[in-house]
Amino acid sequence: MRAPGILALVSCSLMAAQFREHTVTSDLKGGYQVVVADLNRDGKPDLIALASGMKELVWFENPGWQRHVLAANLSQPINLAVWDVDGDGIPEIVLAQGFSIDPAKSAGVISVLRHPGDPREPWTATEIDRLPASHRLRWADIDGSGKKVVINAPLAGAKAEPPGYRDRAPLVLYRPGAWKREPIPDQLSGVLHGIFIVDWDGDGRDAILTASFEGIHLFKLGANGRWTRTEVAKGSPAPWPKSGSSDVAVGRLGGRRFLCAIEPWHGNQVVVYQEESGAWGRHVIDDSLVDGHALAVADLDGNGRDEIVAGHRGGGRSVFLYSAEDERGTRWKRQPLDEGGMGAASCAVADLDGDGKPDLACIDSTRLKWYQNVTPR
């Protein structure tokens, strides 16, 4: 008998979506984030591999995966986000480095990287800010203008100390050109680990979903120019600092929207949230992860229902796929993508081989792999 609140989970040896594994590199140090972007304007998505233990930021050119250096002389890089600000077909990169899990020891350097003409040559970096514990960077169109801003979500406040991290965690933005820090009001407390950008209301304005010790919240800029913060779910009910949520993403089961999360911080649970009578009901579909960290959603098998991709860095060091057996998501099956072979810190979804099917790329401490979707259609 399963514990109360845990949806039925079936382990399967065969995947509905089928993948062929490819290793891009196995010599990283502290691999932490993989980002997909076309860096050379050839129409093929390339892979950027951010590794916190390396002095270099590197990218791999599709389809041969030749290695190039974007930037050197880095110190503890932790996150980056890409967007083509100037419209030349090659994105600008905003990078956070100088990270420490102890905010008092974290410089939180934010820089903008620009290509020198040939993206295969080292890019130039311009520092724009220093905010301790800067940890998550994402681009978002917060006002529906088509002009995106950079969201910076530090892990915790500057005065926070582990393990409780009792301080307010800032959430800020930067507008390209000015690159000045602008605070987003109504700060959260404790660790703010994950953010997800989504057009929540379908009005063309991106909102920010946050996953923190306080749970899952939605930050949205209204037409009146004012920010609102709305609690979506409280996350894990365990006492602080095992409360709340660690990472969050949005998916769809046919016409129904759902949220998925890893809980608590670096936790063991894969959680699905579904709207039930005006509230978001919490359902644990797996509680066996060890140091859960990677989370993504995509319709991998083309059936109109998004799968959940979740990876953990401890214990069995694996990546699993979770698929709903019906559009209501009452039963979920777990399928191994890379069991024991990838302690994923980050996974990304993109059509890497141009066949129209979404592929996956995942990174762990030493390896970057991509998983070619070979599901028959």
Side-chain angles (χ1 to χ4, degrees):
M1 180 179 295
R2 66 182 186 272
I6 300 182
L7 290 183
L9 177 66
V10 181
S11 294
C12 300
S13 59
L14 296 177
M15 292 186 289
Q18 301 170 27
F19 292 86
R20 183 177 297 126
E21 176 186 315
H22 305 272
T23 298
V24 178
T25 188
S26 58
D27 64 350
L28 302 174
K29 297 179 181 178
Y32 191 80
Q33 183 192 21
V34 56
V35 174
V36 178
D38 180 4
L39 295 181
N40 58 359
R41 290 181 293 202
D42 66 352
K44 299 181 179 68
D46 307 302
L47 296 176
I48 306 174
L50 181 148
S52 295
M54 293 173 56
K55 298 291 186 180
E56 295 180 335
L57 178 64
V58 297
W59 68 282
F60 296 88
E61 186 175 354
N62 192 349
W65 308 116
Q66 296 88 354
R67 182 183 187 128
H68 308 287
V69 176
L70 275 164
N73 301 316
L74 303 179
S75 174
Q76 291 296 314
I78 192 66
N79 223 236
L80 65 85
V82 300
W83 182 253
D84 185 5
V85 175
D86 57 16
D88 68 351
I90 299 177
E92 280 65 42
I93 299 173
V94 180
L95 172 71
Q97 62 170 313
F99 177 78
S100 170
I101 202 167
D102 182 349
K105 301 176 182 177
S106 176
V109 178
I110 307 297
S111 302
V112 179
L113 277 57
R114 298 178 178 88
H115 67 90
D118 182 353
R120 298 173 182 83
E121 297 297 323
W123 294 32
T124 59
T126 303
E127 182 178 323
I128 62 169
D129 197 12
R130 293 196 173 209
L131 184 59
S134 290
H135 181 249
R136 290 288 181 264
L137 300 173
R138 300 290 186 269
W139 287 91
D141 182 3
I142 58 174
D143 59 6
S145 66
K147 298 179 180 179
K148 295 191 178 186
V149 302
V150 178
I151 308 299
N152 179 9
L155 181 76
K159 297 180 180 179
E161 296 180 356
Y165 291 92
R166 296 282 186 177
D167 192 18
R168 308 297 287 179
L171 188 63
V172 306
L173 65 86
Y174 309 95
R175 299 180 190 274
W179 299 115
K180 300 294 183 183
R181 186 199 308 173
E182 298 181 28
I184 297 174
D186 208 358
Q187 296 175 340
L188 298 161
S189 295
V191 165
L192 168 53
H193 186 262
I195 60 174
F196 186 86
I197 306 303
V198 59
D199 181 355
W200 184 257
D201 301 319
D203 61 359
R205 292 171 172 261
D206 284 338
I208 310 162
L209 275 175
T210 61
S212 73
F213 279 5
E214 292 191 16
I216 298 172
H217 289 80
L218 184 79
F219 288 79
K220 183 174 176 61
L221 181 67
N224 60 2
R226 296 180 180 177
W227 286 92
T228 58
R229 183 186 109 179
T230 304
E231 181 182 274
V232 178
K234 294 186 181 298
S236 168
W240 191 293
K242 294 296 183 180
S243 60
S245 192
S246 186
D247 291 281
V248 64
V250 179
R252 301 199 73 86
L253 300 176
R256 291 169 56 87
R257 177 170 60 181
F258 71 92
L259 306 182
C260 58
I262 291 176
E263 294 176 350
W265 180 32
H266 292 173
N268 64 312
Q269 298 176 339
V270 179
V271 181
V272 169
Y273 289 92
Q274 295 175 308
E275 287 185 284
E276 301 167 357
S277 302
W280 288 89
R282 182 177 188 265
H283 307 281
V284 179
I285 65 170
D286 193 1
D287 61 358
S288 66
L289 303 189
V290 181
D291 192 11
H293 205 272
L295 185 68
V297 292
D299 182 3
L300 299 171
D301 56 11
N303 69 352
R305 300 197 291 266
D306 284 342
E307 282 73 40
I308 300 169
V309 183
H312 64 125
R313 303 181 296 184
R317 293 172 52 84
S318 301
V319 181
F320 296 108
L321 307 182
Y322 303 82
S323 55
E325 295 188 319
D326 57 60
E327 290 193 2
R328 297 194 61 83
T330 55
R331 289 176 60 87
W332 291 77
K333 60 182 178 181
R334 188 181 80 175
Q335 308 160 331
L337 175 70
D338 196 335
E339 192 163 14
M342 167 57 64
S346 167
C347 292
V349 180
D351 180 7
L352 295 174
D353 58 3
D355 68 351
K357 293 180 287 190
D359 306 302
L360 296 169
C362 296
I363 192 171
D364 70 5
S365 58
T366 61
R367 294 162 295 191
L368 174 63
K369 295 182 181 181
W370 77 282
Y371 303 87
Q372 184 179 13
N373 192 336
V374 294
T375 308
R377 294 284 179 91

